[in-house]
Amino acid sequence: MKRIIIAIDGYSSTGKSTMAKQLAKALDYIYVDTGAMYRAITLFAIENDLIGPAGFKKSTLIGELPNLNLEFKYNASLGFSEMYLNGRHVEKEIRTLEVSQFVSQVSVVPEVREKMVALQKAMGKNKGLVMDGRDIGTVVFPEAELKIFMTASPDIRATRRYKELLDRGADISFEEVLENVQARDYIDSHRKFSPLKKAEDAVVLDNSKLNQDEQFKRALALAEEKI
Ligand code: C5P
């Protein structure tokens, strides 16, 4: 059986990672959550006072990039990999609303994107990969055998993210989450370098219309056509 690259892009909280994980499991492929990488750099910037309500020390962050070590380590009990920043497990810390509020400003920086894209391309060397993000089908793997673009209404997306954050014990309102989802999508789709956009050859999955299981079955069938 041929091993392929599956690129999944789309707006925030469209269920990209849930579907990418399901696909990777079904096909016995590696799953890579590129959002986690941008989130880990943002966490570093927040913790070192390089970004916050007072502003963004962009050139200091750029200077620190060579010292940042981002790694995915496989967690066998979960069945997928988790993010480590300079050797520290940061899965929980990178999913907070605070990180979500600053991540789009960090991911707009060309030097940050350059480093991330190089790491991501290297992960695709042996194929057998499902990668999700914003620019996977357009910039990281324009040659991917299967590209899926996921979308859903902002309300549906914010409801999903709100539930996730509440489950993790966050003290936030639905309006704050909706505002963040919309602000991130705006910045992500309007930035100069690698903006979020559908690759011409991507298949659109709109999960305002499909439930998670229907969506997964559609994606798996698309993958099976290619392998
Ligand atoms: O996927 P997730 O919502 O965790 O991504 C967080 C943020 O990281 C996005 O809002 C976007 O700013 C950035 N990102 C990106 N390119 C990617 C993946 C994520 O710019 N490939």
Side-chain angles (χ1 to χ4, degrees):
M1 217 187 260
K2 198 169 122 198
R3 289 170 77 74
I4 62 169
I5 291 183
I6 303 178
I8 302 184
D9 289 302
Y11 295 100
S12 50
S13 307
T14 44
K16 296 187 296 294
S17 64
T18 307
M19 203 186 72
K21 275 182 202 157
Q22 283 177 306
L23 271 179
K25 201 166 168 208
L27 298 167
D28 199 15
Y29 277 19
I30 291 170
Y31 162 61
V32 177
D33 167 9
T34 61
M37 300 168 77
Y38 292 94
R39 287 175 177 273
I41 298 197
T42 306
L43 179 69
F44 174 87
I46 293 172
E47 290 182 337
N48 290 281
D49 292 324
L50 302 180
I51 198 164
F56 182 13
K57 294 181 189 148
K58 197 162 56 179
S59 47
T60 315
L61 178 64
I62 293 171
E64 289 288 344
L65 285 177
N67 309 323
L68 287 190
N69 180 28
L70 301 180
E71 254 179 312
F72 284 105
K73 288 191 196 162
Y74 188 71
N75 179 330
S77 60
L78 292 174
F80 52 85
S81 300
E82 295 187 301
M83 187 80 238
Y84 286 73
L85 167 66
N86 294 336
R88 169 181 153 221
H89 177 265
V90 290
E91 269 300 318
K92 187 158 180 271
E93 294 80 350
I94 60 174
R95 313 277 169 198
T96 62
L97 188 61
E98 190 188 17
V99 169
S100 298
Q101 272 158 350
F102 294 110
V103 65
S104 290
Q105 282 183 65
V106 170
S107 62
V108 104
V109 178
E111 290 82 352
V112 168
R113 303 208 68 82
E114 214 176 289
K115 176 169 170 134
M116 297 303 97
V117 170
L119 289 172
Q120 291 153 9
K121 280 183 191 284
M123 293 175 201
K125 268 203 320 249
N126 300 323
K127 302 230 174 179
L129 178 79
V130 185
M131 186 175 273
D132 81 28
R134 304 293 186 288
D135 58 344
I136 313 305
T138 51
V139 175
V140 184
F141 294 119
E143 73 287 8
E145 287 85 350
L146 175 61
K147 299 179 187 178
I148 296 176
F149 189 85
M150 294 183 62
T151 183
S153 73
D155 246 49
I156 288 187
R157 294 187 282 124
T159 305
R160 179 178 297 132
R161 187 64 104 192
Y162 180 56
K163 281 193 193 135
E164 272 171 24
L165 289 164
L166 284 190
D167 285 347
R168 283 197 218 116
D171 176 22
I172 33 144
S173 69
F174 174 74
E175 286 68 31
E176 276 177 287
V177 177
L178 179 62
E179 215 173 280
N180 174 254
V181 162
Q182 289 177 314
R184 270 203 291 146
D185 287 342
Y186 184 85
I187 304 177
D188 293 345
S189 347
H190 289 82
R191 66 185 173 217
K192 192 165 159 205
F193 296 99
S194 324
L196 164 65
K197 66 167 195 264
K198 184 184 105 53
E200 262 172 35
D201 50 349
V203 179
V204 177
L205 288 187
D206 182 340
N207 62 16
S208 325
K209 296 182 188 130
L210 297 173
N211 68 33
Q212 206 170 298
D213 192 47
E214 291 165 334
Q215 193 169 264
F216 167 61
K217 286 188 177 135
R218 280 275 308 273
L220 186 60
L222 290 169
E224 282 168 345
E225 278 170 24
K226 307 273 181 186
I227 56 185

